[in-house]
Amino acid sequence: MVNGTDVYGTDTLDKNEFFKRVYQFLGIKYSKFFKMDNLSKLAFLSAEFVLSETPSIGKNIAIILSNNASSLDTDRKYQDSINDSENYYPSPAVFVYTLPNIGIGEISIRHQLKSENGFFVFENYNTNFHYHYENNLLQNNKCNSVLAGWVNVDEDSYEAFLYLVSETGEIEHTEQKLKQLYNE
Amino acid sequence: MSNIEDLKLELKKNIIEVLNLEDISLEDFGDNDSLFGDGIGLDSIDALELIVMLDKDYGIRLSDPKEGKKIFESVEVMAAYIAEHRTK
């Protein structure tokens, strides 16, 4: 759903297949996508939807994301590759994704952003933290806009809620509004 | 098909699968295509994965990762090296 409108739906709930289908739906050519872990794929795809809606936003975009499971989904995969001392083959390609903020790096590379960013881990989407952090970045001229939200992947569940905050946005940036949009 | 041809085909399949090269088909993957740079387009993390693959699938341990630069030039070169040095 983008700006309240359903843009894509599928009957598959398997995250690997779903992310692949959304990538194909977007019609982009970015072969590195298939090398990303699932958290990065979800962050990357969500950012594609948001940033393609605002092509004139410029490059001074901070990125503030948060989630509940950090990179646990990939951490488990990596752990599986080193559990057995008789079959010990740690994967470098999996290891590089054992941090949640790598997804921010993937978005930044794709959109050539060299801006402020941070990834935070909370029990639930923390509107109070996000509201103040995003405001602070804008008020202190650290950026012109903030791409922010909640991107979580853990085993079979996945969830993304991303939005863009700027001085010239149409919807007022308030803690209550963030809560409302997240729950819609 | 000769053993070396079988090995080259196996290597191409493994490289595509292990390195998640979804946009490269077996038909597009030439024996002499450069694996890095303008050829297949692998990166430095892929190079590390290839070192792991050599160890895991063929029992070859590279003591110096710089050796990989020459060995991973193409599937043709990789297959020749593996055929000569494999322990499994």
Side-chain angles (χ1 to χ4, degrees):
Chain A
M1 183 181 282
V2 178
N3 287 337
T5 305
D6 287 331
V7 291
Y8 181 72
T10 175
D11 52 1
T12 181
L13 290 176
D14 171 75
K15 62 183 182 231
N16 295 307
E17 188 59 27
F18 179 70
F19 297 160
K20 186 176 174 180
R21 289 197 197 181
V22 173
Y23 171 83
Q24 290 166 341
F25 168 77
L26 284 165
I28 49 178
K29 287 275 181 192
Y30 196 74
S31 57
K32 194 170 185 292
F33 173 80
F34 295 105
K35 295 174 181 290
M36 297 178 197
D37 75 334
N38 284 313
L39 181 63
S40 293
K41 281 181 179 173
L42 183 58
F44 177 92
L45 292 170
S46 307
E48 284 295 307
F49 280 109
V50 175
L51 296 178
S52 65
E53 287 285 307
T54 50
S56 59
I57 197 75
K59 299 290 182 192
N60 194 6
I61 308 170
I63 305 178
I64 304 300
L65 301 180
S66 63
N67 77 1
N68 164 285
S70 185
S71 58
L72 194 56
D73 201 59
T74 300
D75 297 349
R76 287 194 199 96
K77 190 176 173 185
Y78 183 71
Q79 182 69 47
D80 287 345
S81 75
I82 58 173
N83 265 346
D84 182 359
S85 59
E86 298 297 311
N87 193 30
Y88 185 87
Y89 297 106
S91 164
V94 175
F95 179 74
V96 294
Y97 286 100
T98 56
L99 282 171
N101 57 334
I102 305 302
I104 291 179
E106 297 291 5
I107 295 169
S108 299
I109 293 167
R110 163 74 172 161
H111 297 280
Q112 298 169 348
L113 309 179
K114 297 170 185 170
S115 41
E116 292 278 335
N117 64 69
F119 200 112
F120 300 88
V121 178
F122 293 111
E123 185 69 28
N124 298 298
Y125 173 54
N126 187 331
T127 51
N128 181 269
F129 172 85
H130 268 276
Y131 168 72
H132 288 290
Y133 204 109
E134 290 147 20
N135 265 0
N136 193 273
L137 284 170
L138 289 166
Q139 285 167 3
N140 287 292
N141 296 317
K142 297 291 184 186
C143 57
N144 292 335
S145 50
V146 187
L147 177 68
W150 177 261
V151 184
N152 197 46
V153 174
D154 193 11
E155 295 185 333
D156 293 332
S157 74
Y158 50 91
E159 180 184 31
F161 167 63
L162 252 68
Y163 51 90
L164 201 57
V165 188
S166 71
E167 299 285 3
T168 56
E170 291 173 12
I171 301 171
E172 194 181 359
H173 182 233
T174 66
E175 196 180 333
Q176 195 165 2
K177 194 68 188 175
L178 291 178
K179 204 172 285 181
Q180 181 199 328
L181 290 170
Y182 174 69
N183 289 321
E184 274 179 1
Chain B
M1 198 183 284
S2 69
N3 284 342
I4 198 77
E5 291 302 317
D6 287 342
L7 180 56
K8 283 192 273 189
L9 182 62
E10 178 183 289
L11 273 174
K12 288 177 188 175
K13 286 179 180 171
N14 285 347
I15 289 171
I16 288 172
E17 187 190 336
V18 172
L19 304 183
N20 296 306
L21 307 179
E22 293 252 350
D23 49 359
I24 291 176
S25 66
L26 276 175
E27 293 74 33
D28 298 334
F29 203 152
D31 293 354
N32 290 301
D33 284 352
S34 172
L35 293 180
F36 296 85
D38 291 337
I40 301 298
L42 303 187
D43 60 24
S44 56
I45 299 295
D46 294 325
L48 295 174
E49 282 294 330
L50 291 180
I51 290 173
V52 174
M53 185 201 285
L54 277 189
D55 186 9
K56 189 176 181 180
D57 295 345
Y58 306 105
I60 298 171
R61 286 199 172 184
L62 298 184
S63 52
D64 180 5
K66 287 177 187 166
E67 285 182 80
K69 193 172 180 184
K70 197 172 179 184
I71 299 163
F72 302 144
E73 189 180 308
S74 66
V75 163
E76 182 81 37
V77 176
M78 262 185 97
Y81 184 85
I82 290 169
E84 191 181 340
H85 295 89
R86 67 188 303 170
T87 60
K88 64 178 179 183

